[in-house]
Each structure stands twice: as structure tokens, then as C-alpha cells.
Amino acid sequence: MGTGWTPHNIIAKDENNNILGVVPLYLKSHSYGEYAFGQSWANAYYSYGWSYYSKLQCSVPFTPVTGPRILVHNTSHKDQVFDILVSAMKDLGVKFNRFISTYYFSNCK
């Protein structure tokens, strides 16, 4: 993307490749392009000698629009799909273990 928003979207599909759920997720090394800047959080982290960036950001880039951020198609097994998406986010965090400090959800409803 060239803006510091590296996409790592999570997509859940069924056996027929139909999309059941999506999480818009980005790896970020700054808070630019967000409408709720994380500088105060970053400063708090730095004051303890911790690093706030990189972070996994769940949002719609460059817009303050509120709404759901974990999107699940309305099916009889939507709760299971939601759980799978959350588990996949945790797994991604483990994958980036040494590179991320936080998950950050913006303008959620």
C-alpha cells in the first residue's frame, strides 16, 4: 500500500470457497492515517521502555466511519465463524510475536 498499512486481512471461507467472514487487519509501524491517534499510548509504552509499534490495526484505513470490524455472514454457524476469526487473529499475533506489541481496533461499533 505504500502508506504504512500492510494488509493482513483474515478471510474465513467454507468448503465451496464462499466468504463467511472477514477481519480488515493491517500491520502498522505508526499511527498516521488513523482518526484516533495512538501517540499517547506510544508515549506511555516508551516511558516504560517498551515499544508500541508495530501493531496490528483492525480498521478501515483513512476513514473515521464507525461500524463492525469483525464481519460475519449471517448463517446458522456465525458464532463458530466469529470464534475462528478471533482465533486466527491470535495466531497472527503469535506469528508476529517479536514484531507487534498491540492489537488496535478503531471506530468499532
Side-chain angles (χ1 to χ4, degrees):
M1 233 181 180
T3 59
W5 294 72
T6 305
H8 287 280
N9 301 315
I10 298 171
I11 302 170
K13 297 181 180 182
D14 67 12
E15 63 278 353
N16 296 318
N17 217 27
N18 296 310
I19 295 175
L20 300 176
V22 175
V23 179
L25 199 60
Y26 302 87
L27 184 64
K28 297 204 58 213
S29 59
H30 57 70
S31 291
Y32 302 114
E34 300 168 21
Y35 283 82
F37 291 98
Q39 274 85 6
S40 57
W41 282 105
N43 291 337
Y45 269 63
Y46 291 135
S47 72
Y48 285 96
W50 304 336
S51 178
Y52 183 66
Y53 303 105
S54 296
K55 64 181 178 180
L56 282 172
Q57 173 87 25
C58 182
S59 66
V60 179
F62 304 104
T63 178
V65 175
T66 60
R69 295 295 177 254
I70 300 176
L71 310 170
V72 179
H73 189 59
N74 191 15
T75 66
S76 60
H77 43 278
K78 65 184 177 192
D79 292 338
Q80 293 92 334
V81 173
F82 180 89
D83 291 344
I84 289 167
L85 290 169
V86 170
S87 180
M89 280 192 293
K90 291 178 185 176
D91 292 344
L92 191 57
V94 169
K95 176 182 173 184
F96 290 125
N97 183 9
R98 296 177 301 168
F99 304 109
I100 67 161
S101 63
T102 59
Y103 290 93
Y104 194 84
F105 288 76
S106 296
N107 300 315
C108 297
K109 216 176 194 188

